[in-house]
Amino acid sequence: MSQFKKIAIANRGEVAVRIIKACEEMGIETVLLHSEADIGSRAYRMATKTICIGPAPTAESYLNIEANINGALAMGAEAIHPGFGFLSENADFAEAVEKSGLKFIGPSAEAIRALGDKVHCKALAKQAGLPLVPGYEGENQDVAHLVKEAERIGYPVIVKAAAGGGGRGMKLIKSSAEAVELIESAQREAQSAFGSPKVFLEKYLDRAKHIEFQVFGDSTGHVIHFFDRECSVQRRHQKIIEEATSPSLTDELRRKMGEAACAIAKLGKYKNAGTVEFLLQDGEFYLLEVNTRLQVEHPVTEEVMGVDLVKMQILTAQGDFVHDPKQIRAPRGHSIECRIYAENPYMGGVPSTGLLGKVSWPEGPGRRYEYGFEKGDTITPFYDPMIAKVIVWDENRPRAIQKMIRVLRDSVVFGVHTNIPYLIEILSHAEFVNGKMTTRFIETYFADALKAPEMGELEKEISAQVLKALRQNESSDVLVSSPWMTYWRGV
Amino acid sequence: MEVSVKIKGVEHKVQAELIGTELWVHHAGRTFNVDTQSGRKSRKKAAGGKSNQILAPMPGKITKLLLNPETVVQAGQAVLVMEAMKMEYTLKSDIEGVIESIHCEVGDQVTLGKVLVKLKAKADT
């Protein structure tokens, strides 16, 4: 197959930017399929061409299959990359894209149906004899029936969106008293985020680690894995820190889990990038789900494996990517990713929206930034709160942690609050440093909002002088006297 | 912009910017912001404790009203649900009392700090 000349991107934010960068490197033009709210965004500015496919609410734009396909066709694209989230794991979308004559950059609709729908995936895994967490994956979505099933499984139970990801449509039910409210809430979130209210139930493992394997099926259908990531640090069931490789696996466990990951991908006749997620508790692992798309945390794998997963995805969709055994090597060093969310860590993590001022990321070796927003962009309440990803690489885990803390301290985001102080606290916690964190790490050690540090005298003086300097449009050597000083002293 | 200030003879280099009435400063690994009108550290505080009203703790959309006016509520009882950034947040009553009035509808896109529900405390009823 000849090389794509123009690829449409059915997504936004940092992942849209990531795909545009890969396309630029490959000499491929891009078309950004965007909502009205994202006019002028970084991805909008970077794409070769853009087309508005609808208003801000996702159901009317990013989740609208017809609008996405029509936009791509109108702009002369040959393929659509769905990124992650939105329609990336929607089999109907993949099928409609292919029917329209465009190429879907991802697995086939059949593979998404077999593996991407968590309920079908579990059925397939059962056939293959893979260990599963006990639960309910039935078709009966009546709330009363789901409550009955939750009681059969035994609390705590976790309710999840069948088509979900990113922590949306996922709730932990600790007792029957809160079951109805949380199941209904999960169904509403699932409908809002993924266009389907379908949920399923799982026994909640309370000391588990979240370990996942990056799998990749090439154009011939040959599946290999690119080792593992640990994503145990989660807030509201949403990952916030990911690393490659996991500090928790022995060589033997790594081998077994890698084989299981490839086995399930092969059963689903998998081509393109995917992730097989496991829970690990007391040395036993259980299949959690398969994500039939690129993952948010793919950069940590790229850093330790020296590969470009997005480029490989595009080449696979073109039909000309085959794994080269000589190029496949063991992971090297250690990589950590932190997700930067627009939220206030001092108010329990409530979303923080507004106009972005200065945004800057410190440069240096082994640092990588994936971001979709810059100064002048507005963070709206319509979409996911993730505004950037910070990724570091170093020779070993302790050095990578040290580097990440330094990088976060030197990163500047003005205009909205971010979780950066929260991330620094986590990275400095002994449990994290020792690699002992479980999926309950945050609720165990960081249940309450961080206490906002009081402004010291120095900070008050600095603020006062800086304000004066800005107002006078000066930038150096401002003398002390300022009417603001009295205010700061009174804080 | 980078601003250099001298305090007690020591030079401090900071990143700083005025956005609206808020001054944002990055110094020694920490970002903080100050409301230049009040001179206080800016919190954009909304949903206050023990309040007889429920305020929007963030901008977002009202997705569900769980109770009607005149309904008796317990402290900690869920009153309405809102959504922002694809996550649901259930807003609860701080006090025991009665719903006096509701100032929003399902589907409304509300701003930070908007009064959503007013309550009458049990002691006042």
Side-chain angles (χ1 to χ4, degrees), chain A residues 75-104:
Chain A
M75 300 302 284
E78 300 146 285
I80 294 185
H81 195 308
F84 41 71
F86 295 133
L87 293 169
S88 61
E89 292 184 276
N90 185 314
D92 294 340
F93 180 58
E95 197 166 67
V97 168
E98 295 282 337
K99 269 190 189 152
S100 74
L102 296 161
K103 202 84 191 148
F104 182 74

Side-chain angles (χ1 to χ4, degrees), chain A residues 430-482:
Chain A
E431 204 84 347
F432 181 84
V433 171
N434 295 327
K436 301 286 183 203
M437 58 284 176
T438 68
T439 53
R440 292 186 66 196
F441 172 73
I442 297 270
E443 67 175 271
T444 306
Y445 299 104
F446 296 90
D448 300 323
L450 291 188
K451 192 174 179 313
E454 290 298 316
M455 280 178 78
E457 283 304 311
L458 179 65
E459 287 180 337
K460 288 175 191 170
E461 287 196 30
I462 285 174
S463 302
Q465 292 202 28
V466 161
L467 184 64
K468 191 178 173 200
L470 291 180
R471 288 193 165 153
Q472 291 175 350
N473 201 20
E474 291 170 3
S475 61
S476 63
D477 249 356
V478 188
L479 292 176
V480 177
S481 173
S482 160

Side-chain angles (χ1 to χ4, degrees), chain A residues 65 87-99 104 106-125 127 139 162-163 198 264-265 267-271 289-293:
Chain A
I65 290 177
L87 293 169
S88 61
E89 292 184 276
N90 185 314
D92 294 340
F93 180 58
E95 197 166 67
V97 168
E98 295 282 337
K99 269 190 189 152
F104 182 74
S108 65
E110 293 69 32
I112 296 174
R113 284 201 179 98
L115 296 170
D117 182 303
K118 293 177 175 120
V119 174
H120 290 146
C121 175
K122 289 198 165 202
L124 202 63
Q127 282 174 31
E139 292 297 321
K198 192 174 176 186
I264 184 104
L267 271 175
K269 298 190 175 67
Y270 204 84
K271 285 185 187 177
E289 63 186 59
V290 178
N291 291 146
T292 56
R293 55 170 162 86

Side-chain angles (χ1 to χ4, degrees), chain A residues 180-469:
Chain A
V180 171
E181 185 189 329
L182 292 176
I183 289 170
E184 284 178 352
S185 173
Q187 288 175 329
R188 282 195 302 272
E189 266 192 15
Q191 177 67 47
S192 166
F194 311 107
S196 161
K198 192 174 176 186
V199 295
F200 67 99
L201 306 171
E202 245 172 30
K203 176 82 185 161
Y204 182 63
L205 299 180
D206 60 356
R207 298 183 311 282
K209 281 177 160 286
H210 180 117
I211 314 277
E212 59 188 34
F213 276 73
Q214 174 70 55
V215 294
F216 203 102
D218 68 14
S219 302
T220 68
H222 178 49
V223 177
I224 64 164
H225 72 79
F226 288 92
F227 290 87
D228 49 289
R229 300 186 280 257
E230 171 142 359
C231 315
S232 297
V233 182
Q234 300 178 7
R235 188 267 280 114
R236 295 186 210 125
H237 315 295
Q238 197 167 36
K239 299 163 190 170
I240 48 179
I241 299 178
E242 302 103 332
E243 50 189 314
T245 54
S246 164
S248 312
L249 299 186
T250 60
D251 289 348
E252 178 60 7
L253 208 44
R254 181 167 276 129
R255 186 185 60 75
K256 277 191 193 165
M257 291 171 80
E259 281 173 6
C262 288
I264 184 104
K266 281 174 191 160
L267 271 175
K269 298 190 175 67
Y270 204 84
K271 285 185 187 177
N272 221 290
T275 295
V276 183
E277 298 192 335
F278 298 100
L279 287 178
L280 175 70
Q281 184 166 305
D282 303 329
E284 299 291 326
F285 65 89
Y286 306 89
L287 179 75
L288 191 59
E289 63 186 59
V290 178
N291 291 146
T292 56
R293 55 170 162 86
L294 190 69
Q295 292 273 100
V296 176
E297 56 271 30
H298 75 276
V300 291
T301 296
E302 294 186 327
E303 293 299 313
V304 295
M305 298 303 295
V307 294
D308 181 334
L309 291 167
V310 178
K311 199 165 157 181
M312 282 160 58
Q313 284 191 297
I314 295 168
L315 291 170
T316 304
Q318 281 178 184
D320 55 7
F321 177 75
V322 178
H323 291 303
D324 179 356
K326 286 182 206 149
Q327 292 296 323
I328 300 162
R329 56 204 111 152
R332 182 181 152 267
H334 196 84
S335 182
I336 302 176
E337 173 180 289
C338 284
R339 301 189 189 189
I340 311 297
Y341 288 126
E343 62 185 30
N344 191 336
Y346 305 122
M347 286 181 66
V350 295
S352 181
T353 57
L355 179 69
L356 279 181
K358 180 186 176 74
V359 178
S360 76
W361 311 106
E363 296 194 0
R367 301 161 181 210
R368 169 175 168 183
Y369 307 103
E370 303 286 343
Y371 56 97
F373 301 95
E374 294 171 305
K375 184 180 171 81
D377 291 341
T378 300
I379 307 299
T380 72
F382 300 112
Y383 308 114
D384 189 277
M386 188 174 77
I387 55 170
K389 301 188 304 203
V390 174
I391 303 109
V392 300
W393 180 92
D394 215 315
E395 287 169 13
N396 56 42
R397 188 168 185 270
R399 286 184 198 168
I401 294 172
Q402 193 182 31
K403 183 178 280 182
M404 180 61 93
I405 291 173
R406 187 69 242 169
V407 165
L408 291 176
R409 284 172 58 84
D410 290 345
S411 298
V412 180
V413 179
F414 288 161
V416 296
H417 294 278
T418 72
N419 62 338
I420 286 177
Y422 196 70
L423 291 165
I424 293 171
E425 291 281 328
I426 293 169
L427 291 160
S428 311
H429 195 279
E431 204 84 347
F432 181 84
V433 171
N434 295 327
K436 301 286 183 203
M437 58 284 176
T438 68
T439 53
R440 292 186 66 196
F441 172 73
I442 297 270
E443 67 175 271
T444 306
Y445 299 104
F446 296 90
D448 300 323
L450 291 188
K451 192 174 179 313
E454 290 298 316
M455 280 178 78
E457 283 304 311
L458 179 65
E459 287 180 337
K460 288 175 191 170
E461 287 196 30
I462 285 174
S463 302
Q465 292 202 28
V466 161
L467 184 64
K468 191 178 173 200

